[in-house]
Amino acid sequence: MAWFRPMGIEAVAYHEQTVVGRADDHPGQALDYYGSRGETPLRWAGAGAERLGLVGEVTPAGYEAAFGPGGFRDSLFGDRLVATRRAGFELVVSAHKSLAVLGLVGRADDMHSVLDAETAATLAWLDGWFRDRGGRRGRAQVRTPTLGLTYAVTRHGTSRAGDPAPHDHVLVANVVEMLDTKGGFKALDSAGLRDTVEAATMVGRLASAARAVELGYAIERDDGPSGNLRHWRIVGVPREVCEVFSKRADEISEYLADSGHHGPRARAVAARQTRAVKRHSGVDELLPGWHAELDALGWSVERLNTQLERARTKCRGLAVPLSDTEIDALAVSVLDSANALMANHKIFTRTRLVAELAPRLYGSAPEELTRVIDRILESRAVVPLIGVTGAHEQAYATAEVLATEQAIARTIETLADKPWKRTPDVLVDDAVRAKQRALGQPLSRGQRAAVDAICGSGRAVEVIIGVAGAGKTTALDAAATALTAAGHTVLGSATSGQAARTLGTEADIESRTVTSLLWRLDHRQLELHDGCVVILDEAAMTADA
């Protein structure tokens, strides 16, 4: 998926002019590149659309009712169903560039068939998720079933840089009909949509890969230059051909390089900032121009077709279903604490597993994904969790993660029970007064309580909890002064380098990252003795290991 973003006033107006008003259509006739499809009109789809009287091509009146200011209106009676300032959301399902090249060599029907499979599977998965649990009710945000999504889809064949780039724009209306006992309509759960788009994207790619294989094409995984693309490509289309038709991606990359920013959000900004007016070139200009670019590379249409036919001999059909043993081995690799799925998240959902596993199954039948995930979630290595705050669906953890947490808890309990020498009150009072003079104001009640707990509880471990800006660092500074005066060595540590630097500069505590601290201990460059006090800042950010 090229991007997912909320639709603002500008986006609503843009699509009304260029898609509903057909201002982006190429003049004269449909592109040969596009076969008989042309620049397709915006059409309604989704389980919720027909119920709302939205069928077929989107009319100006229907578009205004769905995406106009103030929220969704009933297109038949004009009643306001949802009051919201957010019109909807835009998704873009974009084919891999190797698929776009098929349209240049007389294989447009195959190109469309594969992209059809990707868009259909992407949206079917999203629609199914929202029908199952997409509603929210009450302060507790109780998940409820809904009638499903209401959206409109249109297909474009070119990028703004004039390259072949088949992609589908999907405009999702900000409305769902609730199917619980109370019923009625509510705005879409935007957080739910945001958190499920990645999984839906991977499901779509899995389906399109299967369709390509069914059409006789050999495929291979393509993780892109960053290693994070998680896409697939058609074998037989040279990478240099894909690159010459990636001018739009190059524009965005150049903008990011110049700005010094990176990441999905920065890329979305770059896409908007570099968005030129779409070219209105007819078939007589675009297709010959593309062919000329191919000839200049030494890859004529004839040579490309020959290359594709040779590569097709490598296609052996859809992969054989995995055995139980193979699924179990896959589960071990996915749920390992060092894997991307578990490295930054101690809990996960079925949706998260979908996003992680689908790219590993490219070339398999799409239904294989469900069978694999069902077996993994039913295994003894996975434990369902109860009452996870903020979870959109059932959350899980691995037995390994839970066992590690219990080991950490037992270690901390042992330390908490271990007696530790209290810092004399006079040293604590002196340190607090010195800090208050430096600040020009007294410590808060919470800060003073933290200092007293650190220095005077008599326990060998203390946990200080406070929101950002509560003054934890200031309290640590005063406590460290008292501890040092009592003869202790105070060391600071944090997962991030920035947090460690902040602890050092603002609390005047010798600090380094956890990784650096552990390395120094392992290499005997540092030794912890009975008089050491170690402060772990932002402890919740620190990995269990």
Side-chain angles (χ1 to χ4, degrees):
M1 190 167 292
W3 68 62
F4 153 70
R5 65 187 182 195
M7 291 174 64
I9 296 174
E10 178 187 353
V12 171
Y14 166 75
H15 288 295
E16 184 172 21
Q17 175 188 6
T18 60
V19 182
V20 181
R22 307 305 298 272
D24 256 357
D25 279 6
H26 292 272
Q29 56 183 306
L31 296 173
D32 283 350
Y33 167 74
Y34 233 60
S36 61
R37 303 286 283 269
E39 299 280 296
T40 62
L42 196 64
R43 300 187 69 85
W44 291 112
E50 187 172 355
R51 165 72 173 81
L52 293 165
L54 303 172
V55 182
E57 186 172 339
V58 178
T59 63
Y63 183 87
E64 175 68 19
F67 300 104
F72 195 98
R73 289 183 178 275
D74 189 305
S75 61
L76 298 177
F77 303 104
D79 298 334
R80 175 88 62 199
L81 300 183
V82 172
T84 177
R85 289 181 292 180
R86 178 172 289 169
F89 305 86
E90 180 182 6
L91 316 177
V92 176
V93 182
S94 185
H96 190 279
K97 193 60 70 175
S98 63
L99 184 67
V101 172
L102 294 186
L104 306 184
V105 297
R107 301 168 186 250
D109 287 343
D110 287 353
M111 177 187 74
H112 285 298
S113 179
V114 174
L115 184 54
D116 284 345
E118 181 165 347
T119 299
T122 299
L123 296 174
W125 195 91
L126 279 177
D127 205 27
W129 192 93
F130 273 87
R131 280 188 281 113
D132 185 44
R133 64 180 71 83
R136 300 165 296 170
R137 184 71 77 184
R139 284 189 176 182
Q141 301 286 288
V142 175
R143 310 307 300 186
T144 65
T146 74
L147 193 63
L149 298 177
T150 297
Y151 57 87
V153 184
T154 180
R155 178 163 298 177
H156 285 180
T158 61
S159 72
R160 293 190 169 276
D163 286 328
H167 59 279
D168 288 339
H169 287 271
V170 184
L171 308 183
V172 183
N174 195 5
V175 62
V176 287
E177 183 173 4
M178 304 287 281
L179 293 185
D180 56 359
T181 55
K182 190 173 181 179
F185 294 86
K186 295 196 73 174
L188 201 64
D189 176 10
S190 59
L193 183 60
R194 177 200 64 209
D195 293 344
T196 53
V197 160
E198 181 186 11
T201 298
M202 298 308 159
V203 167
R205 291 177 179 176
L206 176 63
S208 62
R211 181 59 184 147
V213 171
E214 290 171 346
L215 291 171
Y217 294 98
I219 68 165
E220 61 185 7
R221 181 159 167 166
D222 182 11
D223 286 325
S226 68
N228 298 318
L229 182 61
R230 292 184 294 164
H231 214 323
W232 61 269
R233 58 178 284 108
I234 293 176
V235 177
V237 178
R239 292 188 183 275
E240 59 262 35
V241 171
C242 294
E243 290 169 1
V244 79
F245 293 128
S246 300
K247 301 180 191 69
R248 179 67 180 132
D250 291 342
E251 289 175 351
I252 295 172
S253 296
E254 288 174 7
Y255 181 92
L256 290 172
D258 291 341
S259 67
H261 298 297
H262 56 85
R265 184 173 297 179
R267 195 166 186 85
V269 172
R272 291 195 297 272
Q273 293 298 324
T274 58
R275 185 171 67 189
V277 176
K278 200 164 188 177
R279 291 171 43 168
H280 293 261
S281 304
V283 61
D284 56 337
E285 179 184 344
L286 284 174
L287 200 57
W290 293 334
H291 286 168
E293 290 185 87
L294 289 175
D295 290 339
L297 277 178
W299 285 101
S300 65
V301 171
E302 294 75 16
R303 187 184 177 194
L304 274 174
N305 271 315
T306 300
Q307 179 90 342
L308 282 167
E309 287 305 312
R310 287 175 181 167
R312 285 167 75 102
T313 62
K314 301 177 182 179
C315 181
R316 298 291 183 264
L318 293 175
V320 175
L322 297 177
S323 67
D324 288 349
T325 301
E326 289 172 323
I327 295 175
D328 293 342
L330 181 60
V332 170
S333 67
V334 169
L335 299 178
D336 184 85
S337 57
N339 183 59
L341 175 66
M342 303 303 299
N344 298 314
H345 304 279
K346 298 204 301 187
I347 65 172
F348 59 92
T349 62
R350 186 184 186 94
T351 295
R352 188 74 209 113
L353 267 184
V354 166
E356 180 68 23
L357 285 168
R360 297 168 182 254
L361 297 175
Y362 289 157
S364 300
E367 55 268 23
E368 180 77 347
L369 179 62
T370 300
R371 189 176 73 87
V372 168
I373 290 180
D374 284 346
R375 180 171 176 84
I376 291 176
L377 292 181
E378 291 167 2
S379 73
R380 294 183 177 180
V382 175
V383 180
L385 304 178
I386 299 174
V388 177
T389 303
H392 301 309
E393 57 188 281
Q394 174 65 58
Y396 301 87
T398 65
E400 177 189 4
V401 164
L402 297 179
T404 303
E405 285 188 341
Q406 290 175 354
I408 292 170
R410 285 195 297 269
T411 301
I412 293 175
E413 287 172 0
T414 300
L415 285 173
D417 291 338
K418 179 181 178 182
W420 193 72
K421 185 178 180 180
R422 290 181 172 86
T423 304
D425 291 343
V426 63
L427 297 180
V428 176
D429 292 339
D430 287 347
V432 169
R433 281 194 293 268
K435 188 61 184 176
Q436 290 179 153
R437 284 196 299 271
L439 292 173
Q441 63 184 34
L443 297 184
S444 69
R445 183 179 301 175
Q447 289 172 319
R448 181 61 199 249
V451 175
D452 289 341
I454 294 169
C455 298
S457 71
R459 292 185 293 267
V461 62
E462 286 294 337
V463 179
I464 306 301
I465 301 173
V467 298
K472 297 186 295 297
T473 304
T474 298
L476 288 173
D477 187 359
T481 299
L483 290 166
T484 302
H488 296 291
T489 300
V490 182
L491 301 174
S493 186
T495 297
S496 75
Q498 181 57 53
R501 286 189 293 272
T502 299
L503 193 60
T505 56
E506 296 185 8
D508 197 24
I509 299 170
E510 180 187 347
S511 301
R512 52 180 57 88
T513 64
V514 173
T515 300
S516 174
L517 177 62
L518 293 175
W519 187 91
R520 288 168 183 267
L521 290 170
D522 290 341
H523 290 79
R524 300 186 180 279
Q525 294 186 8
L526 183 68
E527 184 177 350
L528 300 183
H529 50 78
D530 287 344
C532 283
V533 177
V534 179
I535 296 172
L536 175 59
D537 197 13
E538 296 186 349
M541 302 291 289
T542 305
D544 284 351

